[in-house]
Amino acid sequence: MTDKNKMMRRGFTLIELLIVVGILAILATTVVIVLNPAQLLAESRDSARLSDLDSLRSVLGHYLTQRSGPYPMSGVDTCDDAPVGSQNYWATNQLTVVPGTSIVLDPFASSTGGAVVQNPANGLTITGRNIDSTGWVPVDLNIISGGSPLATLPLDPVNDGIHFFYAYACNNALNQFEFDAHLESDQYQNGGSDDKESTDGGDNISEYEVGNNLSL
């Protein structure tokens, strides 16, 4: 057997294997640093939020074109019955912002997506994702001609009730509404390379806001 054949058959030496492993480790580290999986996941969740709020804005706008004049924007004891200029906020998880209301959340109602809001004053229960006015957006979307474009109301991808949840504000007398979400990625949040929060025209630079009145 020739020396050349022997060299071809002897395989890798330990040093050669260590060099290959080292190169692979460097490449793997570079890929992690460049791609940043955590940020990629955050961007994916933010993309879902942007899409969800755009769908909500579209369907509620469509709802408002069905007839002229004031149209129910909420249920009992919410902005539907409130004085002109006031508003109420609803969400898929913990949020209470309107003085004088008694809204208590049951975050453990897993059968409804973890989102049941109850007003003890009248026993009204707001059930997670329903589109018949008993969901976190208390508007009956079923009355839209041809049916609601949404089968269920969307939930925030994280929906922890602290930082990440969808919120709704309305003024029934003026047919005005706003949807809010908090973005988390370096790309889309306030100051990011594709900042959506401070450039949406709303009055909160740390939230993504859509609707026909971004000052609610």
Side-chain angles (χ1 to χ4, degrees):
M1 183 178 293
T2 64
D3 292 341
K4 182 177 181 181
N5 288 336
K6 290 180 180 179
M7 293 179 63
M8 292 178 64
R9 296 181 61 182
R10 69 184 175 85
F12 292 105
T13 66
L14 178 60
I15 294 178
E16 289 171 335
L17 287 173
L18 290 175
I19 292 173
V20 171
V21 171
I23 292 173
L24 291 175
I26 292 172
L27 290 175
T29 301
T30 301
V31 168
V32 169
I33 292 174
V34 172
L35 295 182
N36 196 341
Q39 276 301 307
L40 289 177
L41 290 173
E43 289 173 14
S44 177
R45 289 190 292 269
D46 278 351
S47 293
R49 293 179 178 108
L50 296 173
S51 177
D52 285 346
L53 261 64
D54 186 59
S55 295
L56 289 167
R57 170 176 53 188
S58 177
V59 72
L60 210 57
H62 188 42
Y63 168 85
L64 289 174
T65 65
Q66 298 293 297
R67 54 175 269 188
S68 59
Y71 209 34
M73 304 295 290
S74 64
V76 179
D77 285 345
T78 64
C79 66
D80 185 29
D81 298 330
V84 174
S86 63
Q87 67 266 353
N88 193 4
Y89 284 68
W90 299 81
T92 59
N93 218 319
Q94 196 168 355
L95 185 65
T96 302
V97 297
V98 180
T101 60
S102 299
I103 299 176
V104 179
L105 180 76
D106 174 9
F108 303 106
S110 58
S111 63
T112 58
V116 173
V117 182
Q118 187 172 33
N119 186 337
N122 59 15
L124 176 68
T125 299
I126 307 301
T127 306
R129 309 186 69 176
N130 293 353
I131 59 172
D132 60 358
S133 81
T134 64
W136 69 267
V137 180
V139 175
D140 187 2
L141 302 178
N142 287 320
I143 69 173
I144 294 176
S145 178
S148 171
L150 296 176
T152 58
L153 297 171
L155 299 177
D156 183 274
V158 175
N159 196 30
D160 62 5
I162 301 172
H163 301 294
F164 301 105
F165 52 83
Y166 296 152
Y168 168 67
C170 53
N171 183 316
N172 186 68
L174 300 179
N175 278 355
Q176 295 175 342
F177 68 94
E178 176 183 323
F179 290 103
D180 298 341
H182 183 62
L183 306 180
E184 60 177 308
S185 68
D186 291 342
Q187 178 178 358
Y188 293 123
Q189 65 182 197
N190 183 6
S193 58
D194 189 13
D195 182 349
K196 300 293 186 184
E197 292 185 331
S198 68
T199 62
D200 56 18
D203 60 355
N204 189 334
I205 63 172
S206 297
E207 298 290 334
Y208 179 61
E209 303 160 273
V210 302
N212 60 9
N213 183 345
L214 302 186
S215 298
L216 291 177

